[in-house]
Structure formats: structure tokens, C-alpha cells
Amino acid sequence: MNRDTLKQIMIDQKDIYLNNPLITRQYFLETNVNYCFVGIRRTGKSYMMYQQIKQLEADGIPLSQIIYVNFEDERLLEMTAEDLNLILEIGLEISETDIKPYLFLDEIQNINGWEKFVRRIADMKYRINITGSNSKMLSSEIASTLGGRFVIMNIYPYSFSECKLWLNIFILTLLLYNTVLFLRQHPLQLFLSGLIVCKHYSLHAKLSATLDILQSVIYEHTFFRIQIIFVKQTLIDTGIRLYHSNHS
């Protein structure tokens, strides 16, 4: 594996965890513990890592001391277990310090022979977290494979309470977006409508009427969009089920 290519990939992948909005998952994570997050695909294993990174950042750990590598990146297809030590070397180079960096290795099962590397790094007292989703990682043998150096944590899809939290954030975001969009597109109409409705009243009454009009328009527009989104997704899901039923 070319060292410069790997370094560029590590720099590029910083944007993944820096720019991803997070909904905090309801898992208790201890400090100074190495975790192996396992579970089926698309359950949020990577987001558990992003959550940890955000916490480290909040605790004052410089981003230069955090190493994140996602081995799903097609540019890493040629990487072997012998190349994994380059990650440490590049991490120390980027941090410009002798302090051991925090390692987050996502979908590391894509590298044959990864087990010996992570065991060695854990023995060297690095803080390291890994994720995996293949059959071996999901089996009960993973604990013995890692030799007791990691806490195995199974990650599941959103719970009902997490779904409610996500939906609330989604609706609030859409409300804000629609408010800004409406104000940008119809500022004069909104202002005049408030004046027309309350032309004989005080300024306070006019502003209050204007806000009421804005609220009713935005809410109507927002929930119309939500209905369209869910109807569209329902049609897609129904089409997929019909396709599989007709081809099974």
C-alpha cells in the first residue's frame, strides 16, 4: 500500500465523522475501554464511533490525535495486514506528538489477518475501537478471537424512543427549512397580508397576525411534504416486496 495514498485517504475520511449529524444512541460507553461494535449492516455501528469521536472532541482531545479509517473505501482494496502498521505511523506523523492516538477502525474485517494487529495494538495500551459485520464478527467466537482485550457490544437498529427522537428532529429541520424558504420567496406577500388583515390595529397586532399567517402556511407546507415523503417510501417498499414475491 502506498504510504502517501493511505495518508490522503485518512485525511479525506475525516470529513465523514466531522460533518455527520448525530442522534446520540442509547448505549452506555465507559471511558478507557476498547470496544468492538458488531451487528448487521446499517444499524449504526459507524455512528457509535462518530459519537465517541465527538465526545473525545468535547473532552478537549485534538482531532489530530484521532485516527479514523473506514476499510469499505474502495481505495483500500489492495491493503493487507502488513500495511496496517502504516496507519499508526501516519497517525503519529499527523499528530506531531509522541502521545498515542485514538484509533477507530471501521469494517476492519475486510483486511485478512486483522486480528493479530488489533490484539498487538491493544497490548501496547492504545485506545482502539473496531466495527465489523461479517459472519465471523457476528459469531460467539469473536470474543476469543480478540483475546479479552475488547468489550463486545452488539448494535441494533433504532429503538422506538430513538425513532421518535429522529422524527422530531426531522420535522423541526423541515420546519426551519420551509420557514427560511418561504421568507426568501415571499417576504412582501407575508408582510402585506399581515397589514391587510389588521390594517386598523396596532403594530403589535399586525406583527402577531403576520406570524400566525406564517405559522399556518409553514405547518401546512411542512406536513404536506412529510406526507409526500412517507407515501413515496411506502410505494417504493411495496414495489420491492411485489418484485421479490413475483421473482421468488
Side-chain angles (χ1 to χ4, degrees):
M1 181 81 196
N2 181 273
R3 180 190 176 92
D4 291 335
T5 301
L6 178 57
K7 183 178 180 180
Q8 187 58 52
I9 292 171
M10 291 167 64
I11 293 171
D12 292 345
Q13 290 186 351
K14 276 186 178 292
D15 291 335
I16 296 175
Y17 60 81
L18 288 178
N19 299 324
N20 259 303
L22 290 179
I23 295 176
T24 303
R25 300 300 308 273
Q26 298 174 355
Y27 291 91
F28 175 71
L29 299 177
E30 299 181 58
T31 56
N32 300 318
V33 172
N34 296 329
Y35 283 99
C36 173
F37 300 113
V38 297
I40 61 175
R41 289 189 173 273
R42 315 303 297 175
T43 56
K45 299 183 298 297
S46 297
Y47 274 77
M48 292 300 297
M49 285 188 165
Y50 305 159
Q51 186 172 314
Q52 286 183 296
I53 292 172
K54 292 291 185 183
Q55 185 58 54
L56 289 173
E57 189 179 6
D59 292 340
I61 304 298
L63 287 174
S64 60
Q65 292 181 23
I66 297 172
I67 298 174
Y68 171 85
V69 181
N70 185 344
F71 293 98
E72 291 278 83
D73 194 311
E74 80 284 355
R75 293 172 293 179
L76 296 175
L77 288 176
E78 298 178 359
M79 195 168 192
T80 64
E82 288 74 23
D83 298 320
L84 289 172
N85 209 57
L86 283 176
I87 294 173
L88 280 183
E89 296 176 10
I90 294 170
L92 290 170
E93 178 186 324
I94 293 174
S95 66
E96 298 180 347
T97 177
D98 293 332
I99 299 175
K100 292 178 179 177
Y102 295 80
L103 297 172
F104 295 88
L105 307 180
D106 206 351
E107 300 291 355
I108 194 171
Q109 83 281 346
N110 289 337
I111 308 298
N112 291 325
W114 61 271
E115 301 93 338
K116 291 183 179 179
F117 172 77
V118 300
R119 288 199 299 263
R120 176 170 63 85
I121 296 305
D123 288 340
M124 293 170 64
K125 307 303 180 185
Y126 279 86
R127 173 87 177 274
I128 176 172
N129 295 274
I130 62 176
T131 73
S133 54
N134 67 359
S135 57
K136 184 175 181 180
M137 294 288 277
L138 293 171
S139 73
S140 57
E141 299 176 5
I142 187 62
S144 58
T145 299
L146 296 174
R149 298 165 176 85
F150 291 76
V151 172
I152 312 300
M153 180 168 286
N154 287 283
I155 305 300
Y156 301 100
Y158 273 177
S159 64
F160 180 68
S161 59
E162 287 174 321
C163 285
K164 287 199 302 180
L165 177 60
W166 175 85
L167 187 59
N168 288 339
I169 292 174
F170 171 72
I171 292 174
L172 286 174
T173 303
L174 200 53
L175 278 171
L176 179 60
Y177 170 78
N178 284 337
T179 301
V180 173
L181 186 65
F182 186 83
L183 286 174
R184 289 180 62 184
Q185 293 180 348
H186 310 288
L188 182 60
Q189 294 92 318
L190 179 64
F191 177 71
L192 289 177
S193 61
L195 293 181
I196 292 169
V197 170
C198 300
K199 61 182 178 180
H200 299 301
Y201 293 89
S202 65
L203 178 60
H204 180 271
K206 292 175 182 177
L207 290 175
S208 179
T210 302
L211 290 175
D212 287 342
I213 293 168
L214 173 63
Q215 183 178 5
S216 63
V217 171
I218 294 303
Y219 269 85
E220 181 180 350
H221 191 204
T222 297
F223 286 100
F224 175 74
R225 283 192 172 206
I226 290 173
Q227 291 172 15
I228 292 297
I229 290 170
F230 281 102
V231 167
K232 181 179 178 181
Q233 188 60 50
T234 302
L235 289 173
I236 292 173
D237 293 341
T238 303
I240 291 173
R241 286 196 297 271
L242 288 173
Y243 175 84
H244 285 302
S245 64
N246 291 332
H247 290 79
S248 60

